[in-house]
Amino acid sequence: KQEVTQIPAALSVPEGENLVLNCSFTDSAIYNLQWFRQDPGKGLTSLLLIQSSQREQTSGRLNASLDKSSGRSTLYIAASQPGDSATYLCAVNFGNEKLTFGTGTRLTIIP
Amino acid sequence: NAGVTQTPKFRILKIGQSMTLQCTQDMNHNYMYWYRQDPGMGLKLIYYSVGAGITDKGEVPNGYNVSRSTTEDFPLRLELAAPSQTSVYFCASSYSDGTSGTIYFGEGSWLTVV
């Protein structure tokens, strides 16, 4: 079964620190992987999309990496800010026209 | 700059009632999706559509129906509401099947069945 796992479920980090969020998936034959941000009571906002042929993508303070052979992706956030507090979800396209989502990591940046 | 618009945002239903969640997008996207999100869980795909007149079941379709008569609209129908359908529902759209394009989400519809 194709599954996506995110551990830990929650993470608290002091402001200013760099941090890494993890995502693992069970099938290495993926089309792409996306990281989303979800604020309380809101929908999902796409942060970064990595195609299967890519190793990483960067947007501002965010850097996402992809290692298909090990079934892992990481989202690196540099110089964290209180405004980064949100739930971060990873979603994988296994090539079947649908995204499979992880359960998310709830991130709290402590001022 | 509307993007994906869902209505209503909140709704309380009694067991056995029916209702329709509306979703419309103004980006001329071919693909549209309905997901549900339960507390502490990831999003589960209910139904999706690859274009007007074409719909298909996702992971958790039971108790729901959809239609896609236009490119813009993708309503989700709940027949005979049950407490297990208490959830947050998200509509989404993308230009392609997600292999190369970004997927855009609505802000969600909170549904409680009592």
Side-chain angles (χ1 to χ4, degrees):
Chain A
K1 184 180 178 184
Q2 294 165 332
E3 294 182 336
V4 179
T5 303
Q6 292 183 253
I7 297 173
L11 180 67
S12 294
V13 174
E15 179 180 0
E17 288 197 0
N18 304 325
L19 63 100
V20 174
L21 304 178
N22 297 302
C23 173
S24 60
F25 45 93
T26 54
D27 186 348
S28 62
I30 70 170
Y31 273 38
N32 59 44
L33 182 146
Q34 291 191 51
W35 283 93
F36 293 86
R37 170 184 172 135
Q38 185 177 26
D39 293 290
K42 298 291 186 181
L44 281 69
T45 300
S46 181
L47 297 173
L48 289 165
L49 168 67
I50 310 178
Q51 300 294 347
S52 62
S53 59
Q54 297 174 323
R55 296 281 297 187
E56 65 178 340
Q57 282 285 338
T58 298
S59 176
R61 294 182 295 108
L62 306 180
N63 176 277
S65 69
L66 175 64
D67 184 345
K68 289 190 301 179
S69 61
S70 65
R72 294 183 61 189
S73 175
T74 61
L75 179 66
Y76 174 86
I77 302 177
S80 59
Q81 304 170 358
D84 294 330
S85 296
T87 296
Y88 291 81
L89 293 105
C90 163
V92 176
N93 184 329
F94 288 107
N96 52 6
E97 298 178 326
K98 301 179 279 286
L99 290 177
T100 301
F101 282 82
T103 53
T105 295
R106 187 173 69 254
L107 176 66
T108 302
I109 304 301
I110 305 166
Chain B
N1 228 21
V4 179
T5 303
Q6 294 179 231
T7 57
K9 185 144 178 108
F10 301 98
R11 182 73 186 269
I12 299 175
L13 274 182
K14 294 184 178 179
I15 294 172
Q17 286 186 321
S18 301
M19 75 160 295
T20 298
L21 298 177
Q22 302 291 344
C23 176
T24 186
Q25 52 90 11
D26 61 359
M27 297 173 281
N28 200 32
H29 285 167
N30 297 323
Y31 285 70
M32 294 189 74
Y33 314 83
W34 274 105
Y35 289 90
R36 61 177 285 173
Q37 184 179 35
D38 299 315
M41 306 291 287
L43 278 74
K44 303 290 185 185
L45 183 65
I46 304 171
Y47 271 95
Y48 67 102
S49 169
V50 303
I54 305 170
T55 62
D56 208 346
K57 295 178 180 179
E59 189 178 356
V60 289
N62 292 343
Y64 306 95
N65 279 300
V66 294
S67 60
R68 184 94 182 272
S69 57
T70 67
T71 299
E72 295 78 19
D73 301 308
F74 191 41
L76 177 71
R77 177 83 175 164
L78 280 72
E79 306 282 1
L80 299 175
S84 62
Q85 293 179 304
T86 294
S87 189
V88 184
Y89 292 84
F90 289 100
C91 179
S93 73
S94 65
Y95 181 69
S96 68
D97 62 358
T99 59
S100 59
T102 300
I103 184 168
Y104 296 85
F105 281 81
E107 295 210 331
S109 297
W110 272 253
L111 176 67
T112 301
V113 182
V114 297

